[in-house]
Amino acid sequence: MDEKIKIIRENLSGDYASDIEFLNTLYEEETSTIEDAKTTIEAINIVIDELNKEQEKLKEDENKEIEEDVEKSDKEKEIDQMIGNLLEHIDKESDDEALKSIEEIIPKIEELTKSDDKIIYCSFKSEFERNLFERIFAGEKNVVATPYSNDVIYIIYSDLLLKKKRRTEAMEALDRAIYWNFLSREARERKLDLYYKRKEIVKYLDTLKTLQMISYTVEDIADCYNKYAFIFNDLKDTKSAYAMYRLSYSYYKNEDVANIITKFEELDPSLKEMTSEEIIKLVEDNEVTIGPNNKIVKAERDIATYFIQNGMINEAKIMLENDYYMTNDSEIANLYNKLLELENTISNTKNEEVVEEKEEVEKPKKTATKKSTSTTTTKKSSAKTKSTTKTTKTTKKSETKK
């Protein structure tokens, strides 16, 4: 009997309908032709029973999933309502009510998304941010976006706790915000403020180093140097502060920073004589990294390559432009300029096609009374974003960059 059951199982395809049809056919054949048909039929009946049980189990699992989806949907509707109430309390500046609301929301959003060995749930403010995280920090885990901006909810929670002077809990809330969104600049900047108020300068500098490590735009890198400059000036290290402001300005031309640099030079004219080599040495002596995180640069270039390969020229240009201002890499500038040329070629080709099509449509017909001699030429125009109107230079922007 066992041998016959084994033989029958080996001939199953895995498709329920096909296997039942096969077994019924075999049943009929055995009834009429196979010796010792009774044993074979019993074996067939056993296998049929097994298949039916498996099918029932599959249906039960499917029903369970449907029930879980419905339950999850109901929970999300409840959370939606609670968040609406929270925002209403915040708008009315009812801190106690807002705090009560958010403390009811937090356990519910935590329950919705629990990471495991294979899946990591995260909150992101953009798809680009998610791409960066997946390429650099996620490892082998599958990244799934949370249904709510958990990091933002914790940042709001931290702000409310600070109003109640519950600073330790506020810091813990910020840590939880960073748990949900490792790239959250907002949460890390709030931690900097708390460390500064506590006069915990070492923790301030450690947090600032991490902030620079996750910075992925030239503006953010420049802002990190501004923060270094602020703390060094607070520590009465004028030269280091000045060097940081100069380095910041070399990355991103900010009028406010330019004014600060001018004030430093007015107070100490000798600072004007500081060379780029001296600036770099001061920065390195303070154990501050010059430039972006190499892993960030590589990830951004991988994303730019993907954009180019998929014909997303404008998106690729934005990436390469930011890359150039962060790295001052002439090869990136050349690639950016080639994309500009390609975009112009495509645009001109489309314009020519539009003109030809328009002329064909408006081609005058001969009549017995009058012959038209006029033609109309139209130009196709498109709105340009700020980032696409710039033309990257292939020369160095500032001598202070290394």
Side-chain angles (χ1 to χ4, degrees):
M1 172 67 74
D2 291 340
E3 184 63 27
K4 292 194 175 190
I5 291 175
K6 181 180 178 183
I7 292 171
I8 292 171
R9 284 177 178 156
E10 288 175 349
N11 283 278
L12 297 180
S13 66
D15 179 73
Y16 176 76
S18 299
D19 290 341
I20 291 296
E21 183 179 353
F22 162 72
L23 291 170
N24 285 331
T25 302
L26 186 57
Y27 184 99
E28 294 172 0
E29 291 176 353
E30 290 293 331
T31 302
S32 59
T33 62
I34 301 178
E35 186 179 356
D36 196 16
K38 184 179 178 181
T39 304
T40 305
I41 290 169
E42 287 178 4
I44 292 171
N45 286 330
I46 290 172
V47 175
I48 288 175
D49 187 55
E50 288 176 351
L51 289 174
N52 285 331
K53 287 180 179 178
E54 288 178 6
Q55 190 68 11
E56 288 175 7
K57 180 67 168 57
L58 286 173
K59 288 180 179 178
E60 288 176 5
D61 291 342
E62 288 176 0
N63 291 334
K64 186 178 179 181
E65 288 180 4
I66 292 171
E67 289 172 2
E68 288 176 350
D69 288 341
V70 171
E71 184 181 355
K72 186 176 181 181
S73 177
D74 290 341
K75 286 181 179 179
E76 289 182 9
K77 287 178 182 177
E78 180 186 4
I79 294 171
D80 288 339
Q81 185 176 0
M82 293 173 75
I83 290 176
N85 292 335
L86 167 66
L87 297 176
E88 183 180 350
H89 292 318
I90 290 176
D91 291 340
K92 292 179 179 178
E93 297 184 353
S94 176
D95 295 337
D96 290 333
E97 290 298 322
L99 198 57
K100 180 181 177 182
S101 295
I102 204 165
E103 286 177 343
E104 291 175 351
I105 291 170
I106 283 174
K108 294 183 180 297
I109 62 171
E110 290 275 358
E111 185 183 354
L112 280 179
T113 47
K114 294 181 179 179
S115 302
D116 54 34
D117 292 338
K118 295 181 179 179
I119 296 175
I120 178 170
Y121 286 92
C122 301
S123 302
F124 303 104
K125 70 178 183 181
S126 67
E127 187 62 25
F128 171 73
E129 202 171 73
R130 174 177 177 160
N131 285 336
L132 274 185
F133 182 82
E134 284 180 327
R135 291 171 185 272
I136 302 174
F137 306 107
E140 299 299 320
K141 288 189 177 183
N142 181 35
V143 177
V144 179
T146 57
Y148 297 94
S149 298
N150 294 6
D151 58 327
V152 175
I153 290 173
Y154 271 104
I155 289 172
I156 294 171
Y157 184 40
S158 176
D159 290 344
L160 290 169
L161 289 169
L162 280 176
K163 288 184 178 182
K164 296 296 180 181
K165 310 298 182 184
R166 294 160 62 179
R167 293 186 179 87
T168 300
E169 292 171 270
M171 184 68 83
E172 290 171 354
L174 292 175
D175 286 336
R176 198 63 187 166
I178 293 168
Y179 166 83
W180 287 111
N181 183 2
F182 185 74
L183 298 174
S184 174
R185 191 171 189 85
E186 294 79 5
R188 294 184 190 279
E189 287 181 334
R190 280 169 167 77
K191 287 190 72 172
L192 287 174
D193 290 340
L194 282 172
Y195 285 136
Y196 180 74
K197 288 174 182 176
R198 292 179 181 180
K199 302 299 179 184
E200 296 181 76
I201 304 304
V202 174
K203 290 183 178 179
Y204 180 100
L205 292 172
D206 286 342
T207 301
L208 184 49
K209 285 180 180 179
T210 304
L211 183 65
Q212 184 180 353
M213 186 267 288
I214 66 165
S215 295
Y216 54 82
T217 70
V218 68
E219 293 91 341
D220 287 345
I221 291 172
D223 182 63
C224 286
Y225 293 133
N226 292 337
K227 287 176 166 57
Y228 277 117
F230 171 80
I231 203 68
F232 286 138
N233 190 52
D234 196 60
L235 294 170
K236 309 301 181 186
D237 187 350
T238 305
K239 286 189 175 181
S240 293
Y242 175 78
M244 293 296 172
Y245 279 125
R246 281 276 301 273
L247 185 59
S248 168
Y249 191 75
S250 74
Y251 276 91
Y252 185 69
K253 302 297 184 288
N254 183 299
E255 186 176 346
D256 291 336
V257 175
N259 291 334
I260 292 172
I261 290 172
T262 299
K263 288 179 181 178
F264 268 82
E265 293 172 347
E266 287 173 351
L267 292 171
D268 184 357
S270 68
L271 292 175
K272 291 182 181 180
E273 307 302 320
M274 189 179 292
T275 65
S276 59
E277 288 78 11
E278 289 172 331
I279 289 173
I280 290 171
K281 187 176 187 308
L282 270 173
V283 171
E284 291 178 339
D285 286 347
N286 282 290
E287 298 182 352
V288 175
T289 302
I290 296 177
N293 180 351
N294 289 332
K295 291 182 178 179
I296 292 281
V297 174
K298 183 182 183 306
E300 289 192 348
R301 290 180 181 182
D302 289 343
I303 295 170
T305 300
Y306 170 82
F307 286 153
I308 294 171
Q309 291 173 343
N310 288 273
M312 302 164 70
I313 304 302
N314 189 56
E315 290 84 352
K317 280 171 51 190
I318 293 171
M319 298 292 298
L320 293 175
E321 184 178 47
N322 183 65
D323 186 329
Y324 174 73
Y325 286 123
M326 287 196 303
T327 63
N328 217 22
D329 190 329
S330 60
E331 291 185 8
I332 295 298
N334 291 335
L335 180 56
Y336 177 86
N337 290 330
K338 287 179 181 178
L339 286 184
L340 273 181
E341 293 172 5
L342 175 62
E343 189 177 49
N344 290 334
T345 300
I346 293 173
S347 178
N348 291 335
T349 301
K350 286 183 178 180
N351 287 340
E352 290 173 2
E353 290 174 354
V354 170
V355 171
E356 290 174 0
E357 181 180 349
K358 185 73 176 178
E359 288 177 342
E360 183 65 26
V361 169
E362 297 191 357
K363 189 174 181 180
K365 295 181 180 180
K366 292 183 179 180
T367 64
T369 57
K370 188 176 181 181
K371 184 176 180 180
S372 175
T373 58
S374 64
T375 58
T376 303
T377 302
T378 62
K379 290 187 177 180
K380 189 175 182 181
S381 61
S382 60
K384 292 185 178 180
T385 62
K386 181 179 178 182
S387 60
T388 61
T389 58
K390 297 179 182 178
T391 301
T392 305
K393 297 179 180 179
T394 56
T395 57
K396 273 199 170 185
K397 301 186 298 304
S398 171
E399 63 178 3
T400 59
K401 280 199 187 179
K402 192 172 183 181

mmCIF file of all heavy atoms in Angstrom, residues 83-100:
data_model
loop_
_atom_site.group_PDB
_atom_site.id
_atom_site.type_symbol
_atom_site.label_atom_id
_atom_site.label_comp_id
_atom_site.label_asym_id
_atom_site.label_seq_id
_atom_site.Cartn_x
_atom_site.Cartn_y
_atom_site.Cartn_z
ATOM 1 N N ILE A 83 -5.224 60.797 14.555
ATOM 2 C CA ILE A 83 -4.252 61.796 14.082
ATOM 3 C C ILE A 83 -4.956 63.104 13.764
ATOM 4 O O ILE A 83 -4.443 64.193 14.027
ATOM 5 C CB ILE A 83 -3.481 61.259 12.859
ATOM 6 C CG1 ILE A 83 -2.530 60.138 13.299
ATOM 7 C CG2 ILE A 83 -2.703 62.376 12.172
ATOM 8 C CD1 ILE A 83 -1.781 59.478 12.163
ATOM 9 N N GLY A 84 -6.166 63.007 13.198
ATOM 10 C CA GLY A 84 -6.950 64.213 12.938
ATOM 11 C C GLY A 84 -7.236 64.971 14.222
ATOM 12 O O GLY A 84 -7.112 66.207 14.275
ATOM 13 N N ASN A 85 -7.586 64.234 15.271
ATOM 14 C CA ASN A 85 -7.831 64.866 16.578
ATOM 15 C C ASN A 85 -6.555 65.489 17.141
ATOM 16 O O ASN A 85 -6.589 66.571 17.730
ATOM 17 C CB ASN A 85 -8.369 63.826 17.566
ATOM 18 C CG ASN A 85 -9.761 63.346 17.190
ATOM 19 O OD1 ASN A 85 -10.505 64.054 16.510
ATOM 20 N ND2 ASN A 85 -10.125 62.147 17.617
ATOM 21 N N LEU A 86 -5.430 64.788 16.945
ATOM 22 C CA LEU A 86 -4.148 65.302 17.424
ATOM 23 C C LEU A 86 -3.823 66.648 16.775
ATOM 24 O O LEU A 86 -3.470 67.614 17.457
ATOM 25 C CB LEU A 86 -3.035 64.290 17.121
ATOM 26 C CG LEU A 86 -1.594 64.792 17.282
ATOM 27 C CD1 LEU A 86 -1.307 65.101 18.742
ATOM 28 C CD2 LEU A 86 -0.606 63.774 16.745
ATOM 29 N N LEU A 87 -3.944 66.698 15.456
ATOM 30 C CA LEU A 87 -3.628 67.937 14.737
ATOM 31 C C LEU A 87 -4.564 69.064 15.147
ATOM 32 O O LEU A 87 -4.156 70.229 15.226
ATOM 33 C CB LEU A 87 -3.711 67.687 13.222
ATOM 34 C CG LEU A 87 -2.707 66.676 12.664
ATOM 35 C CD1 LEU A 87 -2.941 66.443 11.183
ATOM 36 C CD2 LEU A 87 -1.275 67.147 12.897
ATOM 37 N N GLU A 88 -5.803 68.699 15.438
ATOM 38 C CA GLU A 88 -6.760 69.719 15.879
ATOM 39 C C GLU A 88 -6.333 70.295 17.223
ATOM 40 O O GLU A 88 -6.381 71.513 17.445
ATOM 41 C CB GLU A 88 -8.157 69.102 15.990
ATOM 42 C CG GLU A 88 -9.236 70.108 16.384
ATOM 43 C CD GLU A 88 -10.608 69.461 16.487
ATOM 44 O OE1 GLU A 88 -10.754 68.292 16.068
ATOM 45 O OE2 GLU A 88 -11.525 70.137 17.003
ATOM 46 N N HIS A 89 -5.881 69.431 18.131
ATOM 47 C CA HIS A 89 -5.435 69.901 19.446
ATOM 48 C C HIS A 89 -4.185 70.777 19.315
ATOM 49 O O HIS A 89 -4.051 71.782 20.015
ATOM 50 C CB HIS A 89 -5.135 68.715 20.363
ATOM 51 C CG HIS A 89 -6.350 67.929 20.761
ATOM 52 N ND1 HIS A 89 -7.527 68.525 21.119
ATOM 53 C CD2 HIS A 89 -6.561 66.582 20.844
ATOM 54 C CE1 HIS A 89 -8.416 67.604 21.418
ATOM 55 N NE2 HIS A 89 -7.859 66.408 21.258
ATOM 56 N N ILE A 90 -3.272 70.370 18.415
ATOM 57 C CA ILE A 90 -2.045 71.156 18.228
ATOM 58 C C ILE A 90 -2.378 72.534 17.678
ATOM 59 O O ILE A 90 -1.829 73.557 18.104
ATOM 60 C CB ILE A 90 -1.067 70.413 17.300
ATOM 61 C CG1 ILE A 90 -0.501 69.178 18.015
ATOM 62 C CG2 ILE A 90 0.064 71.335 16.856
ATOM 63 C CD1 ILE A 90 0.396 68.330 17.169
ATOM 64 N N ASP A 91 -3.305 72.587 16.709
ATOM 65 C CA ASP A 91 -3.711 73.863 16.125
ATOM 66 C C ASP A 91 -4.320 74.789 17.179
ATOM 67 O O ASP A 91 -4.169 76.007 17.128
ATOM 68 C CB ASP A 91 -4.723 73.635 14.994
ATOM 69 C CG ASP A 91 -4.083 72.980 13.780
ATOM 70 O OD1 ASP A 91 -2.844 73.058 13.665
ATOM 71 O OD2 ASP A 91 -4.812 72.381 12.971
ATOM 72 N N LYS A 92 -5.020 74.184 18.138
ATOM 73 C CA LYS A 92 -5.650 74.976 19.185
ATOM 74 C C LYS A 92 -4.714 75.217 20.368
ATOM 75 O O LYS A 92 -5.116 75.773 21.387
ATOM 76 C CB LYS A 92 -6.922 74.271 19.672
ATOM 77 C CG LYS A 92 -8.024 74.227 18.625
ATOM 78 C CD LYS A 92 -9.256 73.501 19.162
ATOM 79 C CE LYS A 92 -10.368 73.479 18.126
ATOM 80 N NZ LYS A 92 -11.566 72.740 18.621
ATOM 81 N N GLU A 93 -3.460 74.734 20.222
ATOM 82 C CA GLU A 93 -2.441 74.886 21.261
ATOM 83 C C GLU A 93 -2.869 74.261 22.584
ATOM 84 O O GLU A 93 -2.566 74.772 23.665
ATOM 85 C CB GLU A 93 -2.082 76.366 21.448
ATOM 86 C CG GLU A 93 -1.463 76.990 20.191
ATOM 87 C CD GLU A 93 -1.030 78.421 20.411
ATOM 88 O OE1 GLU A 93 -1.331 78.968 21.478
ATOM 89 O OE2 GLU A 93 -0.397 78.985 19.511
ATOM 90 N N SER A 94 -3.602 73.147 22.484
ATOM 91 C CA SER A 94 -3.989 72.409 23.687
ATOM 92 C C SER A 94 -2.966 71.299 23.903
ATOM 93 O O SER A 94 -3.152 70.163 23.475
ATOM 94 C CB SER A 94 -5.400 71.833 23.520
ATOM 95 O OG SER A 94 -5.754 71.046 24.625
ATOM 96 N N ASP A 95 -1.867 71.639 24.552
ATOM 97 C CA ASP A 95 -0.745 70.708 24.674
ATOM 98 C C ASP A 95 -1.098 69.440 25.450
ATOM 99 O O ASP A 95 -0.684 68.345 25.091
ATOM 100 C CB ASP A 95 0.445 71.410 25.339
ATOM 101 C CG ASP A 95 0.997 72.537 24.480
ATOM 102 O OD1 ASP A 95 0.780 72.491 23.254
ATOM 103 O OD2 ASP A 95 1.631 73.443 25.031
ATOM 104 N N ASP A 96 -1.857 69.604 26.524
ATOM 105 C CA ASP A 96 -2.215 68.436 27.332
ATOM 106 C C ASP A 96 -3.053 67.450 26.529
ATOM 107 O O ASP A 96 -2.824 66.236 26.578
ATOM 108 C CB ASP A 96 -2.974 68.872 28.591
ATOM 109 C CG ASP A 96 -2.072 69.593 29.586
ATOM 110 O OD1 ASP A 96 -0.860 69.313 29.574
ATOM 111 O OD2 ASP A 96 -2.573 70.428 30.348
ATOM 112 N N GLU A 97 -4.034 67.964 25.808
ATOM 113 C CA GLU A 97 -4.883 67.097 24.992
ATOM 114 C C GLU A 97 -4.090 66.471 23.842
ATOM 115 O O GLU A 97 -4.275 65.307 23.495
ATOM 116 C CB GLU A 97 -6.075 67.889 24.433
ATOM 117 C CG GLU A 97 -7.110 68.289 25.466
ATOM 118 C CD GLU A 97 -7.762 67.084 26.116
ATOM 119 O OE1 GLU A 97 -8.000 66.092 25.416
ATOM 120 O OE2 GLU A 97 -8.013 67.134 27.338
ATOM 121 N N ALA A 98 -3.197 67.274 23.241
ATOM 122 C CA ALA A 98 -2.369 66.762 22.143
ATOM 123 C C ALA A 98 -1.457 65.655 22.642
ATOM 124 O O ALA A 98 -1.271 64.628 21.981
ATOM 125 C CB ALA A 98 -1.546 67.893 21.535
ATOM 126 N N LEU A 99 -0.880 65.857 23.821
ATOM 127 C CA LEU A 99 0.011 64.851 24.399
ATOM 128 C C LEU A 99 -0.758 63.564 24.697
ATOM 129 O O LEU A 99 -0.267 62.457 24.430
ATOM 130 C CB LEU A 99 0.634 65.405 25.681
ATOM 131 C CG LEU A 99 1.891 64.709 26.209
ATOM 132 C CD1 LEU A 99 2.998 64.689 25.162
ATOM 133 C CD2 LEU A 99 2.371 65.394 27.480
ATOM 134 N N LYS A 100 -1.958 63.707 25.208
ATOM 135 C CA LYS A 100 -2.791 62.539 25.496
ATOM 136 C C LYS A 100 -3.129 61.798 24.204
ATOM 137 O O LYS A 100 -3.076 60.559 24.155
ATOM 138 C CB LYS A 100 -4.080 62.993 26.199
ATOM 139 C CG LYS A 100 -5.015 61.850 26.544
ATOM 140 C CD LYS A 100 -6.288 62.365 27.230
ATOM 141 C CE LYS A 100 -7.253 61.222 27.499
ATOM 142 N NZ LYS A 100 -8.520 61.715 28.124
#
